[in-house]
Amino acid sequence: MDTIASLFSFITWPVSWVIVQFHKVYGAIFGADTGWAWGLSIVSLVILIRICLIPLFVKQIKATRAMQTLQPEMKKIQERYKNDKQRQSEEMMKLYKEAGTNPLSSCLPILAQSPFFFALYHVLNGIASGNKIGYINDAQLASARQAHIFGAPLAAKFLDGADTVAKLGASLTDVRVVTALMIVLMSASQFYTQRQLMTKNVDTTVKTPFMQQQKMLMYVFPIMFAFFGIRFPVGVLVYWLTTNVWTMGQQMYVIHNNPTPGSKAQASYLERLLKHVTHHGKTRGRGEKAIVKAIVAKGRDRNEFERKFINGLNKAGLVAQPDGTVVKSDSAVTVESEDGTTTATAAGATPRRQQPKRQTKAKRQSGGPKAAGAGDPESEPTTSLTKSTEPQDARPTANGKAAPKPGNGARSKAQSGQRKGPQRPKSPSKK
């Protein structure tokens, strides 16, 4: 760890300078040699760094969602070129370029924050060994060595021996209790952050290997934090615990206000938005307008939660516009079904399902419309095998006898050889 931290020694000057400036402010309030002054200086350093990293965090969210969208296509490429790794990599890079995303974009906040983390570790190690690092002078070094957080010095570690801890003016029990508690809180916050992402903000309509990877990281990251945490000084544990809590709160805000499409968080958000819009009759703020605008632009590609939102607006007599606004409509509106088809209905009314008309028994037997009059020759139904312009009662049969009239319910029977082609089967209901 010391070797890695030395690689980022060029950042120790700005990091130590920021800590000293914050210490001057908090030292005037709590006292220069107190743990509150130095501890809050480290917390303020984290907040300042994370505020500067907000644009990267936004880019991380977009990259993560783009990667989730591309997972089905990536799986197809892996199966198609499973025996050609080079072609597989080329197709993957082509897919990333077309989508305008990069897998490394989801790691940008962590990568950008790492130099500051190692620089702080280098500064605190210098404090523990009594060496001046960066902008810290002799008086500030002595003050930092006397600073304790709940009885544990800033430079003490969980694995330090009793002699090392005694030189810093503390007991081994206090150091290990404080560091163990911080490690547990650090791991728990990381686990909750990842679990919140997996259970609420993942598109449940697409099952991809990406979800399995995220689920694995949910359990791996807390173990990694616990493993490295016993080697971190108390000041670094304060830094990492603060950044984990910041990440957790930042993610909760994003999930609540800008959830991933198709996730459970989106379903909850659209339910709240529907109640708000139907109550006020309009969208308020850029965030709400941006969400409605994106849903309208999808058209038939909307998921079930988005269709439910649009249908809810229509039933309330409101129509979402392409610019994200909502207007009232007294005319007929359309309700979109799951397959993308629409049904017209009056505003504020619940659409009824139309049933097909049932054919009568005569139509099903004859294959055509029912006769308008029993004695009218022109209205008599004709079969598909023979056609005749003569009245049915005037047609002679093969033996010279007249056919029975249609009024007695009997049908004319054809003799063998009289008609060519297949004969019409008798109706099972007639004997």
Side-chain angles (χ1 to χ4, degrees):
M1 184 66 71
D2 295 336
T3 304
I4 298 176
S6 62
L7 297 176
F8 298 95
S9 58
F10 64 94
I11 311 180
T12 55
W13 276 95
V15 169
S16 59
W17 182 85
V18 172
I19 292 177
V20 168
Q21 303 308 312
F22 280 122
H23 177 261
K24 290 180 181 179
V25 176
Y26 294 119
I29 301 174
F30 301 103
D33 299 334
T34 61
W36 286 104
W38 286 101
L40 289 176
S41 299
I42 296 174
V43 172
S44 300
L45 172 67
V46 175
I47 295 175
L48 178 63
I49 293 174
R50 295 309 299 265
I51 290 175
C52 295
L53 293 179
I54 285 178
L56 291 180
F57 179 75
V58 174
K59 191 173 182 178
Q60 178 193 23
I61 294 175
K62 294 180 179 179
T64 302
R65 293 183 180 179
M67 290 297 294
Q68 290 176 350
T69 305
L70 294 178
Q71 284 301 313
E73 298 296 328
M74 293 170 60
K75 189 175 182 180
K76 292 179 182 178
I77 293 175
Q78 291 173 354
E79 293 177 353
R80 185 180 304 171
Y81 306 105
K82 59 183 178 180
N83 297 326
D84 190 351
K85 298 297 182 181
Q86 182 177 358
R87 181 65 183 277
Q88 186 181 117
S89 302
E90 293 175 357
E91 292 296 328
M92 287 288 189
M93 296 304 297
K94 183 179 179 181
L95 181 63
Y96 296 149
K97 186 176 181 180
E98 292 176 354
T101 185
N102 193 323
L104 295 178
S105 299
S106 59
C107 304
L108 283 177
I110 297 177
L111 295 176
Q113 189 176 246
S114 297
F116 300 97
F117 168 78
F118 288 113
L120 178 63
Y121 180 87
H122 194 51
V123 170
L124 293 176
N125 260 1
I127 294 175
S129 58
N131 298 325
K132 294 187 296 181
I133 300 290
Y135 193 78
I136 297 178
N137 56 31
D138 293 331
Q140 293 163 347
L141 177 63
S143 175
R145 289 177 62 86
Q146 295 177 9
H148 292 65
I149 297 178
F150 300 110
L154 288 176
K157 305 174 186 177
F158 182 86
L159 296 179
D160 285 344
D163 296 338
T164 304
V165 174
K167 292 179 182 179
L168 296 173
S171 66
L172 184 61
T173 302
D174 292 340
V175 170
R176 292 195 172 178
V177 169
V178 172
T179 52
L181 182 60
M182 286 187 175
I183 290 171
V184 170
L185 292 176
M186 186 174 61
S187 300
S189 60
Q190 177 64 33
F191 176 79
Y192 180 79
T193 301
Q194 194 68 21
R195 186 177 183 275
Q196 182 180 230
L197 178 66
M198 288 298 302
T199 57
K200 295 183 179 180
N201 207 37
V202 173
D203 187 357
T204 56
T205 60
V206 180
K207 303 296 182 181
T208 62
F210 179 79
M211 296 177 62
Q212 298 297 328
Q213 295 173 5
Q214 293 295 316
K215 188 175 182 180
M216 182 182 65
L217 293 177
M218 181 172 65
Y219 297 100
V220 171
F221 273 145
I223 297 175
M224 291 177 58
F225 276 109
F227 177 77
F228 290 108
I230 59 177
R231 294 168 172 78
F232 290 160
V234 173
V236 174
L237 292 179
V238 171
Y239 176 94
W240 209 249
L241 177 60
T242 305
T243 193
N244 278 4
V245 173
W246 177 279
T247 302
M248 182 174 62
Q250 191 171 244
Q251 184 171 272
M252 289 176 64
Y253 175 82
V254 171
I255 291 175
H256 187 269
N257 294 281
N258 190 17
T260 300
S263 63
K264 294 180 179 179
Q266 189 197 31
S268 301
Y269 175 80
L270 292 180
E271 287 180 3
R272 297 193 305 270
L273 182 60
L274 179 61
K275 292 180 181 179
H276 169 76
V277 173
T278 53
H279 178 72
H280 295 281
K282 61 179 180 179
T283 54
R284 296 188 301 180
R286 294 182 179 179
E288 292 183 358
K289 291 182 179 179
I291 293 292
V292 175
K293 181 179 179 180
I295 293 175
V296 173
K298 286 185 177 181
R300 292 189 175 183
D301 295 332
R302 304 184 187 110
N303 57 49
E304 57 176 326
F305 308 130
E306 294 165 346
R307 283 194 295 267
K308 185 178 180 181
F309 172 75
I310 294 296
N311 292 340
L313 291 178
N314 292 339
K315 292 176 182 179
L318 301 173
V319 179
Q321 301 298 308
D323 60 352
T325 58
V326 174
V327 296
K328 293 183 179 181
S329 176
D330 297 330
S331 59
V333 296
T334 57
V335 177
E336 185 175 348
S337 60
E338 294 183 0
D339 58 356
T341 58
T342 56
T343 304
T345 181
T350 303
R352 295 182 179 180
R353 183 178 179 181
Q354 295 182 354
Q355 298 290 344
K357 293 183 179 181
R358 183 179 178 86
Q359 290 184 342
T360 62
K361 186 176 180 181
K363 287 183 179 181
R364 294 198 303 273
Q365 292 177 351
S366 62
K370 189 176 180 181
D376 188 2
E378 296 182 358
S379 62
E380 285 290 324
T382 59
T383 63
S384 59
L385 301 177
T386 59
K387 293 183 180 180
S388 176
T389 57
E390 298 179 3
Q392 189 172 355
D393 55 348
R395 299 177 190 171
T397 60
N399 55 9
K401 297 181 181 181
K405 295 182 179 181
N408 58 7
R411 295 177 180 267
S412 60
K413 299 180 180 180
Q415 301 297 328
S416 59
Q418 186 176 4
R419 298 179 181 176
K420 295 182 180 180
Q423 302 296 319
R424 180 180 178 184
K426 296 181 180 180
S427 174
S429 60
K430 300 295 183 177
K431 296 184 180 178

